[in-house]
Amino acid sequence: MVCLLLAPQTLTAQESGNRTTEFTNPLLPGGADPWALWHGGHYYYMHTTGGNLVLWVTKDITDLKNAKKQVIWKPVDPANSKHLWAPEIHYLNGAWYVYYTADDGNTDNHQLYVLENKNADPFDGSFVMKGRIRTDENNNWAIDASVFSHRNELYMIWSGWKTRRVDTETQCIYIAKMKDPWTLGSERVLLSRPELDWERKYRNGDGSGPRHTVYVNEGPQVLKSPGGKYVHIVYSASGCWTPFYSLGLLTAGADADLLQPGNWKKLKKPIFQQSAAAGVYGPGHNSFFKSPDGSEDYILYHARDTRSSKTPRSPRAQKIRWDQTDYPVLGAPYATGVYLARPSGTGTDIKK
């Protein structure tokens, strides 16, 4: 396997001559937990807004500032009216589903919820609450749900607690099969816990941080290898309020039973992390998307321009590569303002 932490390569002066084919990060001034889905010739984009759910649509993911957007959900039930985090929109079985996290004002009570819209255009019709996704019999804390299909089965991955926090909070990555888009069809299976040193940083460089101990594995995202050999899960680790927030990698063979923990291998080092040279800190809680013509893979993530947790997290995108062993090469974060080529096929009438 080649090194997964290659230095970014900026465009040359000649390559940077046409600004209409380029973009710079960040894509918006603020927006944590960014998610994008390419469907029917458009990108559908969401990020955490806190008090509601907002959907963007655009043919050019690098031009989010000019994208159409609208509020698609305002909470009405006190049980899920606060701290709406990490929304994702998926198109499954001819309907739109939005997965998100919310609580009643006490963050220890975070749970997963799903909305459904059967209209062909998610900006038309209405999203309706399908309910809370019950992840275990004790209703333990759960956030950051994402779903994916594999071998004609639907799976959900998320971050959760094994047991309710007392004085130490440990967020783990779980997986389960789904009976339908709003109901689990198997018991949850633990795939990863924060056990490595780089996964367990919850204090900032100045010693600030939460009052209790917090070890973090969260924000899991599936990334299937182009050669069809592996199912990868890219996840975020360490505190998102620290500059040490980074991405890790779990890998299983495409033919393996994904509900068997022993079939997953964890990479011992992060595959994407802060770059002091680029002035980018705490990169994480990502998603992946294809270029409009389907020829390129991109990572979409949030990061800060300073080490301070008071600096807003903003969404950023950059192209990724694959090595000869079917492992992803994410490189390193690009500095703010560096010109990058727009995803291949952007601006053309391509529908996938």
Side-chain angles (χ1 to χ4, degrees), residues 118-297:
K118 293 184 178 181
N119 198 287
D121 183 346
F123 281 81
D124 293 332
S126 299
F127 279 90
V128 297
M129 173 64 75
K130 294 299 291 185
R132 181 175 68 84
I133 301 177
R134 183 182 175 92
T135 60
D136 68 285
E137 62 181 9
N138 294 317
N139 298 325
N140 275 293
W141 185 89
I143 65 170
D144 298 350
S146 190
V147 299
F148 68 97
S149 296
H150 185 65
R151 299 289 195 266
N152 297 317
E153 297 278 3
L154 186 64
Y155 294 84
M156 187 176 84
I157 49 179
W158 71 97
S159 175
W161 292 349
K162 184 176 181 181
T163 58
R164 194 168 180 85
R165 173 174 63 84
V166 178
D167 55 6
T168 298
E169 179 178 340
T170 304
Q171 298 178 216
C172 303
I173 303 298
Y174 289 92
I175 188 172
K177 280 187 179 180
M178 302 197 77
K179 177 182 177 182
D180 53 49
W182 55 91
T183 312
L184 295 192
S186 75
E187 297 295 319
R188 67 175 183 169
V189 174
L190 190 151
L191 295 185
S192 175
R193 59 172 57 89
E195 56 195 336
L196 304 171
D197 179 67
W198 66 270
E199 299 176 293
R200 296 164 67 90
K201 297 183 182 297
Y202 64 96
R203 296 287 183 194
N204 290 300
D206 60 4
S208 63
R211 288 174 294 179
H212 59 277
T213 301
V214 185
Y215 299 133
V216 176
N217 276 185
E218 66 182 15
Q221 292 290 319
V222 158
L223 181 63
K224 294 184 181 181
S225 63
K229 186 176 181 180
Y230 296 120
V231 176
H232 300 289
I233 292 177
V234 176
Y235 66 96
S236 301
S238 285
C240 66
W241 54 90
T242 74
F244 310 111
Y245 200 51
S246 305
L247 296 181
L249 186 71
L250 304 170
T251 300
D255 294 327
D257 182 350
L258 301 185
L259 298 186
Q260 290 298 320
N263 290 334
W264 291 89
K265 177 182 178 182
K266 178 189 283 191
L267 205 65
K268 299 301 182 183
K269 296 181 179 180
I271 62 169
F272 199 63
Q273 58 188 323
Q274 65 175 318
S275 171
V280 179
Y281 302 94
H285 204 118
N286 73 289
S287 59
F288 295 99
F289 65 85
K290 288 281 189 182
S291 61
D293 65 6
S295 68
E296 299 171 338
D297 290 302

Side-chain angles (χ1 to χ4, degrees), residues 84-110:
L84 279 67
W85 294 349
E88 294 189 5
I89 187 167
H90 295 259
Y91 189 72
L92 305 169
N93 303 324
W96 295 95
Y97 295 91
V98 170
Y99 298 85
Y100 71 99
T101 305
D103 62 40
D104 57 1
N106 179 354
T107 56
D108 282 7
N109 295 331
H110 257 120

